[in-house]
Amino acid sequence: AQSVTQPDIHITVSEGASLELRCNYSYGATPYLFWYVQSPGQGLQLLLKYFSGDTLVQGIKGFEAEFKRSQSSFNLRKPSVHWSDAAEYFCAVIKAAGNKLTFGGGTRVLVKP
Amino acid sequence: DAGVIQSPRHEVTEMGQEVTLRCKPISGHDYLFWYRQTMMRGLELLIYFNNNVPIDDSGMPEDRFSAKMPNASFSTLKIQPSEPRDSAVYFCASSSRFGGYTFGSGTRLTVV
């Protein structure tokens, strides 16, 4: 069965500092990979997705993610965080044969002034 | 496009009552998903539909839960009878194949 692991439950970062959120997946073939963000009391918003091609994917709000097949990882990065980036971030996976999205446990990001 | 529309936004009900959550997907999306989010269990897929047909309901916790999609623009998730442990945020999402899901704002259900 496929699974998604986000090792960090909480991350605290200073405003203006860089951010990297880790995501590892467990699946035999290359899955389709997504990052979503959820602000408090809100639904989930798609930041970016990877299906194939260039392994460095650009998303909205200045985020990017890099697919590394050898490490089964799809880490999310932002060079300089803003206070508005405080939210919960979810990595998710769809296996190629279906359309069922499986989520990681989420990483909550706190931004210090 | 108004996005995925869920109603109500908040629902407070007494244990034993029937609860119906509603969802209008994005026009043209042929997949619809119902998720439940809790602190303890995170985001769980309950059921999903393709072209109005239920494809996988293995996440539906019990027979008290049922979901329908009578047409391409409407779906319901019903809990009867409701229990306090059903308290959660329920999200509906829709997608085209591999298009990435679009989520609604959720329904926060509290069963007292």
Side-chain angles (χ1 to χ4, degrees):
Chain A
Q2 64 192 58
S3 69
V4 185
T5 304
Q6 294 180 245
D8 304 304
I9 297 175
H10 292 102
I11 285 182
T12 300
V13 60
S14 297
E15 191 168 15
S18 63
L19 174 68
E20 180 166 12
L21 304 182
R22 295 183 290 165
C23 173
N24 294 97
Y25 64 90
S26 162
Y27 180 59
T30 300
Y32 300 110
L33 297 156
F34 304 81
W35 275 99
Y36 284 83
V37 61
Q38 184 180 31
S39 297
Q42 302 298 313
L44 285 83
Q45 182 183 21
L46 179 66
L47 285 175
L48 48 79
K49 59 189 177 187
Y50 172 77
F51 288 174
S52 65
D54 192 346
T55 56
L56 186 62
V57 180
Q58 301 299 318
I60 63 171
K61 305 186 179 189
F63 285 93
E64 66 178 24
E66 185 171 13
F67 170 61
K68 292 186 177 179
R69 184 190 305 275
S70 62
Q71 299 177 18
S72 297
S73 69
F74 188 57
N75 294 349
L76 182 71
R77 297 193 294 254
K78 184 168 184 176
S80 176
V81 298
H82 186 262
W83 64 266
S84 59
D85 294 323
E88 189 154 19
Y89 293 79
F90 293 91
C91 183
V93 159
I94 291 177
K95 65 179 182 179
N99 199 26
K100 182 174 167 179
L101 197 61
T102 300
F103 285 91
T107 299
R108 186 170 297 277
V109 173
L110 303 176
V111 180
K112 296 189 301 184
Chain B
D1 196 328
V4 176
I5 300 172
Q6 290 187 248
S7 63
R9 286 297 307 274
H10 302 273
E11 176 81 32
V12 181
T13 191
E14 292 184 345
M15 181 174 62
Q17 297 298 305
E18 177 180 293
V19 175
T20 299
L21 311 181
R22 297 173 176 80
C23 176
K24 177 179 169 53
I26 290 176
S27 176
H29 282 184
D30 51 1
Y31 286 85
L32 183 139
F33 308 82
W34 283 101
Y35 280 84
R36 179 172 67 177
Q37 186 178 35
T38 61
M39 289 292 292
M40 292 298 295
R41 301 173 69 92
L43 278 157
E44 303 173 277
L45 177 64
L46 300 178
I47 185 171
Y48 79 94
F49 296 83
N50 179 216
N51 292 321
N52 313 338
V53 176
I55 302 301
D56 184 346
D57 66 354
S58 59
M60 296 285 263
E62 301 170 30
D63 291 346
R64 298 184 296 105
F65 285 69
S66 63
K68 294 181 180 179
M69 192 165 186
N71 58 61
S73 59
F74 184 65
S75 176
T76 59
L77 178 68
K78 187 174 293 187
I79 308 172
Q80 167 62 23
S82 58
E83 297 183 3
R85 60 192 167 124
D86 302 331
S87 298
V89 181
Y90 291 81
F91 287 103
C92 176
S94 70
S95 81
S96 55
R97 187 162 177 81
F98 306 133
Y101 293 21
T102 300
F103 282 79
S105 298
T107 294
R108 181 174 296 277
L109 174 65
T110 304
V111 183
V112 297

